[in-house]
Amino acid sequence: MKVVVMGGTGLIGSKVVAELTGRGHEAVAASPSTGVDTLTGEGLAEVMKGASVVVDVTNSPSFADDAVLDFFRRSTANQLEAEREAGVSHHVALSVVGTDRLQEAGYFRAKQTQEEMIRDSGVPFSIVRATQFFEFAQGLADSATQGDTVSVAPIRIQPIFSGDVAAAVARTAVGAPVGGIVEVAGPDTFDLEDFIRRALAVHGDPRTVVTDPQGQYWGATLKDSDLLPGPDASIGATSLTQWSERQA
């Protein structure tokens, strides 16, 4: 089948394209660099011709509250409209585990809006919610750094390798629409402080990581388990230790 991957040249998108191609499908990487812009609608009608599935792994270039909400509203609306016109039979979107529990933060309010638009669109859909990627630990640390100290919330996390996320997205894309949410997470659970410390060590980052009882996660105050998946989550194969050894 033909599968169009929006954001198909990025970290996750490029891996989804490779997964689908390896399974014998026609996977098309769509992004501004390939002439497809979900914000303006440029190239959408053309790239969706003959497509059975559209996978959306795009992300906002800005996490500012207004900007990220505008991005997901416009991008999602343009895709869904083009899909209806092209007769696309399955829309797959990548989201975040705990989105509905993180509504204090503007980014997650925007992701919730995206999910609601998809549910209300009339296009058969599947939403894949993933936990935090191993690769994003440094960015998370940067957002919580003052001086040489990273202060993180007292919560647990079950992070995942981006390649395992891509495999789950690709697997969902070639299956029947679930009409709901599929969760995917890594094999191990950590205190957020431990995860950040171990991930920074991979890159020789000397910052001190501590738990702050008042710490937030991207602007949201969380309960201990808010970032953890439910019992039916699909579990990725790659551990943090395995991923760390590959970075050496």
Side-chain angles (χ1 to χ4, degrees), residues 102-123:
L102 303 175
Q103 293 298 292
E104 288 184 22
Y107 181 83
F108 296 102
R109 290 195 297 272
K111 292 297 289 184
Q112 185 72 23
T113 296
Q114 178 193 27
E115 291 188 10
E116 290 169 356
M117 291 175 68
I118 293 166
R119 288 179 183 276
D120 295 340
S121 70
V123 177

Side-chain angles (χ1 to χ4, degrees), residues 65 72 74 99 178:
D65 288 1
F72 282 116
R74 290 169 56 195
T99 286
V178 301

Side-chain angles (χ1 to χ4, degrees), residues 183-198:
E183 290 190 324
V184 59
D188 303 306
T189 301
F190 304 89
D191 290 337
L192 182 58
E193 175 185 337
D194 185 35
F195 166 58
I196 296 297
R197 182 181 295 113
R198 290 179 61 173

Side-chain angles (χ1 to χ4, degrees), residues 1 34 49 109 180 216:
M1 66 176 70
T34 66
K49 288 180 179 177
R109 290 195 297 272
Q216 296 184 324

Side-chain angles (χ1 to χ4, degrees), residues 79-100:
Q79 289 180 66
L80 293 171
E81 180 180 0
E83 288 168 32
R84 286 189 289 265
E85 292 178 356
V88 171
S89 58
H90 191 185
H91 179 93
V92 180
L94 179 60
S95 192
V96 185
V97 164
T99 286
D100 51 329

Side-chain angles (χ1 to χ4, degrees), residues 137-138 140-141 150 152 190-211 240 243-244:
Q138 280 191 301
L140 181 57
V150 183
V152 300
F190 304 89
D191 290 337
L192 182 58
E193 175 185 337
D194 185 35
F195 166 58
I196 296 297
R197 182 181 295 113
R198 290 179 61 173
L200 292 183
V202 170
H203 302 286
D205 191 319
R207 282 178 286 181
T208 299
V209 185
V210 299
T211 294
L240 180 61
W243 175 78
S244 299

Side-chain angles (χ1 to χ4, degrees), residues 35-89:
V36 181
D37 191 329
T38 61
L39 280 181
T40 65
E42 178 185 0
L44 286 178
E46 183 64 28
V47 78
M48 288 187 189
K49 288 180 179 177
S52 299
V53 184
V54 169
V55 173
D56 181 11
V57 294
T58 60
N59 206 358
S60 174
S62 169
F63 283 13
D65 288 1
D66 290 345
V68 71
L69 180 59
D70 179 67
F71 175 87
F72 282 116
R73 275 180 172 164
R74 290 169 56 195
S75 177
T76 303
N78 286 337
Q79 289 180 66
L80 293 171
E81 180 180 0
E83 288 168 32
R84 286 189 289 265
E85 292 178 356
V88 171
S89 58

